[in-house]
Amino acid sequence: MSVTEIVEGNTKLIIPEEHSKGGPGKRTGNVFFNEQMAFNRDVSVIFLRALDKDVSVVDAMCATGSRAVRIANEVPNAKDVTANDINPLSGEFIDANININKLTNCRRSTKDLNILLSEESFDHVDIDPFGSPVHYLQAAIRGCKKNGILAITATDTAPLAGAHRLKCERRYQSRPIRGAMCHETGLRILMCTIAKELAKFDRGMDPMLSFYADHYFRTYVRITEGTQNADKTLSKLIYMNYDRETLERSYSYEYDKEHRYGPFWGGNLHNSSHLNVMNASSTAEEKRCEKTLKIWRNELDTVPFIYDVSELSSSLKLSPPPMDDLINSLNSIGNATRTHISPTSFKTDLGLKDIVAVYRAMPRP
């Protein structure tokens, strides 16, 4: 197999010369690598650097070992990192990347992740599969230490965002939403699924960072222990109603004839204290990380609804106003922020009637 060497962040990586460069990627060659996931790997680095203690980390489906090696090389408090992939060819890349960076805190593993996570436990368990993570959640939970952190990626964006409703219902036991809210609710379906799996083990969760980017959903949740925390977590699951004609949104903690979408995670997406100590310096995509961190820190993440100016403009037959002016006007009577989901989307605790009134009154260029 032809290989090439790149530098990502502060880490040298040996990767297949033939590899994916964008989108969800295709399985090219025998070992997978996607350039576009550099931002995802950046976030892993800055997330773990912000923890206030030493941690053991496993990337259970690591392919070339790029994420694990970057964590071992760029996160001072990552004292023990395991780069695991069942593909024996991946082992060759993992060894090469450990050696080229002269790492002593990273080791190779080529076990079935179900076996590895039943034999060992870690403070931080990362699952980043090609497609849906649902098949691996129970193994990840078993392999996560008390009060540990799960980092879960889902690249099956189309089902979670409602393009393939039946597939979403089959995989996640949740009815998705199409339209302006599809990526917000897709993320919340993933989080709901993790919450339900954790509850089976009498464990709950505290979300620390959750987002949609490029072609995937990603969430970091700290596990909370005990039946009370499991019940508290399940109490935050909601069902929604979304009328694409009237734009009305509402939610309920119970399924009924008006609230047939879901269930979704209805709690917070982020932990503000952790976000405030995350630092984007020395990352591969530093400017993007800094910009996105700012949005995450300011995002009104406890509101489960998202609005988009294209949706409002289409419904009201009005041209969209400047986003900053719209956010300022909404904040004059309530709370509103931009979202990380889209540069044209926002969240607010105002009702639709007030949103429409503000939108109509906005001056246009």
Side-chain angles (χ1 to χ4, degrees):
M1 187 188 307
S2 297
V3 301
T4 187
E5 181 182 321
I6 64 170
V7 176
E8 191 176 282
N10 291 330
T11 304
K12 297 176 182 177
L13 294 175
I14 295 173
I15 61 172
E17 190 167 30
E18 185 183 3
H19 60 268
S20 295
K21 295 181 171 61
K26 296 181 179 180
R27 290 183 184 273
T28 56
N30 295 312
V31 179
F32 183 75
F33 181 83
N34 191 344
E35 277 189 32
Q36 193 180 45
M37 294 296 275
F39 173 73
N40 188 300
R41 293 185 285 270
D42 279 345
V43 174
S44 288
V45 168
I46 63 178
F47 177 91
L48 286 164
R49 283 196 314 215
L51 296 175
D52 59 1
K53 64 175 185 177
D54 293 345
V55 291
S56 57
V57 178
V58 61
D59 185 353
M61 308 175 79
C62 72
T64 61
S66 53
R67 185 194 308 272
V69 168
R70 282 197 61 190
I71 290 170
N73 191 48
E74 299 178 41
V75 179
N77 51 310
K79 299 302 183 182
D80 177 19
V81 180
T82 300
N84 181 76
D85 199 287
I86 195 172
N87 183 354
L89 291 176
S90 291
E92 298 178 17
F93 281 92
I94 296 167
D95 283 342
N97 285 318
I98 290 173
N99 292 334
I100 197 174
N101 290 284
K102 301 178 181 179
L103 300 174
T104 59
N105 60 335
C106 188
R107 64 185 172 103
R108 178 192 71 169
S109 171
T110 52
K111 293 182 178 180
D112 183 310
L113 71 84
N114 293 286
I115 295 174
L116 174 66
L117 294 173
S118 64
E119 293 178 341
E120 301 182 49
S121 58
F122 304 85
D123 298 308
H124 184 95
V125 177
D126 195 297
I127 301 291
D128 187 358
F130 193 92
S132 173
V134 293
H135 310 295
Y136 314 108
L137 290 179
Q138 290 202 5
I141 292 166
R142 284 195 300 269
C144 202
K145 290 183 178 180
K146 285 187 176 181
N147 303 307
I149 295 170
L150 295 175
I152 309 293
T153 300
T155 60
D156 56 335
T157 312
L160 284 164
H164 304 302
R165 178 175 65 85
L166 293 178
K167 185 178 287 188
C168 184
E169 291 176 352
R170 185 170 65 249
R171 286 179 178 171
Y172 297 92
Q173 290 80 56
S174 182
R175 186 177 182 183
I177 294 178
R178 292 291 286 154
M181 293 208 297
C182 67
H183 291 118
E184 172 82 12
T185 51
L187 176 60
R188 291 180 179 274
I189 289 174
L190 172 63
M191 297 175 72
C192 170
T193 303
I194 296 169
K196 290 188 292 184
E197 290 298 327
L198 282 164
K200 295 175 183 178
F201 295 82
D202 292 333
R203 306 172 95 175
M205 73 182 197
D206 174 23
M208 300 188 72
L209 172 61
S210 311
F211 61 95
Y212 165 73
D214 301 323
H215 60 277
Y216 60 88
F217 299 102
R218 175 80 162 169
T219 185
Y220 296 78
V221 300
R222 184 181 293 281
I223 292 177
T224 56
E225 306 294 338
T227 55
Q228 288 186 337
N229 283 318
D231 291 341
K232 181 180 178 182
T233 294
L234 291 179
S235 73
K236 296 180 181 180
L237 304 186
I238 61 172
Y239 294 86
M240 291 194 198
N241 178 48
Y242 172 50
D243 190 321
R244 293 172 69 179
E245 296 297 323
T246 66
L247 309 189
E248 283 287 353
R249 297 145 161 83
S250 63
Y251 71 89
S252 169
Y253 289 98
E254 301 290 339
Y255 177 90
D256 57 41
K257 66 179 182 179
E258 296 296 329
H259 301 89
R260 297 181 177 180
Y261 294 104
F264 306 96
W265 172 249
N268 59 297
L269 299 180
H270 316 307
N271 180 299
S272 58
S273 297
H274 191 76
L275 284 175
N276 287 337
V277 293
M278 287 174 63
N279 187 321
S281 63
S282 301
T283 49
E285 299 187 17
E286 188 169 330
K287 289 184 178 179
R288 182 181 179 185
C289 288
E290 288 176 347
K291 180 180 178 180
T292 309
L293 264 176
K294 183 177 180 181
I295 295 174
W296 287 337
R297 287 169 179 155
N298 295 322
E299 190 170 11
L300 193 63
D301 71 316
T302 55
V303 176
F305 306 135
I306 195 168
Y307 295 87
D308 195 276
V309 294
S310 60
E311 172 192 36
L312 288 163
S313 291
S314 177
S315 176
L316 301 175
K317 311 302 181 188
L318 293 169
S319 61
M323 275 295 292
D324 287 341
D325 293 348
L326 175 60
I327 297 296
N328 290 336
S329 295
L330 292 169
N331 275 320
S332 68
I333 60 171
N335 296 298
T337 65
R338 288 179 176 269
T339 85
H340 75 274
I341 298 290
S342 165
T344 59
S345 65
F346 64 92
K347 290 182 181 178
T348 179
D349 56 8
L350 295 170
L352 181 63
K353 182 178 179 180
D354 289 330
I355 295 170
V356 169
V358 169
Y359 205 81
R360 289 188 184 279
M362 290 292 300
R364 267 85 179 167

